[in-house]
Amino acid sequence: MDDSSFFIIILLLSSFTFSSANSQSDSCSAQLNVGDLIPFSTSSLACVPAWTSERFFLRYAKTGPSLWSFVLSAPDGGAYVAIGFSPDGRMVGSSAVVGWMAGDGGAGMAVQYFLGGYSPDQCPPEQGNLTLVRGSAVVVSRSSRLYLAFQLNASQPEGILVYAVGPENALPSADGYLAAHRSMASGSLNAPAAARGSEYGSRGEAPSWGSGASAGCGSGGGRTSAAGAIAIAIAILLHHFLCF
């Protein structure tokens, strides 16, 4: 293979890597591009990088005497995303808002769950201690990202937040129960999420939504990210062309 062909391959791979990363990008310096699809004003929301490793961003503000507005932004990987409000940093006892896009181009779903224990029937949908403003909870997808938006009636929501992302292509079943989450973390309204090990290491509780069974609320296995897979492919191609 001549030098010009090698250069073209590297250029194409680099362009693909950039476009793949850019299609799922968001930042706190970027303007929210789905404000027209959310049923409340988002112009005054503050922003924090909620969970860096999963590219979660949380926009929020107290928009009334007892009214809070939230927009959680996350990559759309064909999985559910969740944000919970915990009184003590543990998932058990928390109430969470979970969002996903229904398969085959279906509508976005935003549902409250109560995380009451370690089995599926202890994490029921349409239950919880959050007072959601009627009609405010929506999920929209744009540029390969999910935006989970909702409003709470509360003078002050629980200050410790828990985040979770589900496994790819394992959306909630028809009865609403969640598959095991792939990963989780916790943080606060003013700080990014902490790693799961450091958050729970001294508490003696496994950082899971359940018992770990694949059908329940428990933790799921990891997966290689798209960016990581692309980097591996580039390394293999470089090795092939440079050595042969």
Side-chain angles (χ1 to χ4, degrees):
M1 178 175 290
D2 58 29
D3 290 343
S4 61
S5 298
F6 174 75
F7 176 77
I8 291 172
I9 290 175
I10 295 301
L11 182 61
L12 289 173
L13 285 171
S14 299
S15 299
F16 177 76
T17 302
F18 173 79
S19 60
S20 175
N22 190 59
S23 67
Q24 293 192 343
S25 66
D26 190 12
S27 71
C28 285
S29 61
Q31 183 176 4
L32 189 64
N33 65 356
V34 293
D36 56 325
L37 303 177
I38 293 173
F40 54 85
S41 175
T42 61
S43 60
S44 62
L45 304 187
C47 179
V48 294
W51 189 2
T52 304
S53 62
E54 293 290 341
R55 291 175 289 165
F56 276 37
F57 291 88
L58 180 64
R59 294 172 171 88
Y60 71 97
K62 187 174 185 180
T63 49
S66 297
L67 181 64
W68 290 76
S69 301
F70 296 88
V71 180
L72 179 67
S73 162
D76 185 357
Y80 67 78
V81 298
I83 174 173
F85 296 79
S86 172
D88 56 11
R90 301 187 303 169
M91 276 196 157
V92 173
S94 302
S95 297
V97 182
V98 182
W100 66 92
M101 295 298 296
D104 300 323
M109 302 292 294
V111 180
Q112 181 176 183
Y113 287 77
F114 180 69
L115 310 180
Y118 296 100
S119 62
D121 59 348
Q122 292 177 311
C123 303
E126 303 291 356
Q127 295 188 36
N129 297 322
L130 303 175
T131 306
L132 295 173
V133 175
R134 184 182 298 273
S136 70
V138 298
V139 175
V140 297
S141 179
R142 178 172 288 180
S143 300
S144 299
R145 288 191 71 84
L146 288 180
Y147 296 85
L148 170 58
F150 58 94
Q151 290 182 300
L152 296 181
N153 280 323
S155 57
Q156 178 66 48
E158 300 289 358
I160 303 177
L161 305 181
V162 288
Y163 303 97
V165 58
E168 284 188 3
N169 303 316
L171 297 176
S173 56
D175 58 10
Y177 287 96
L178 300 171
H181 70 262
R182 173 175 60 79
S183 187
M184 61 82 61
S186 63
S188 72
L189 285 177
N190 298 309
R196 55 183 291 175
S198 63
E199 175 65 23
Y200 289 84
S202 62
R203 299 177 184 267
E205 180 187 22
S208 64
W209 285 38
S211 63
S214 61
C217 303
S219 60
R223 66 178 177 86
T224 303
S225 67
I230 293 169
I232 292 170
I234 291 174
I236 292 172
L237 283 171
L238 282 172
H239 174 78
H240 175 79
F241 289 124
L242 290 176
C243 295
F244 297 96

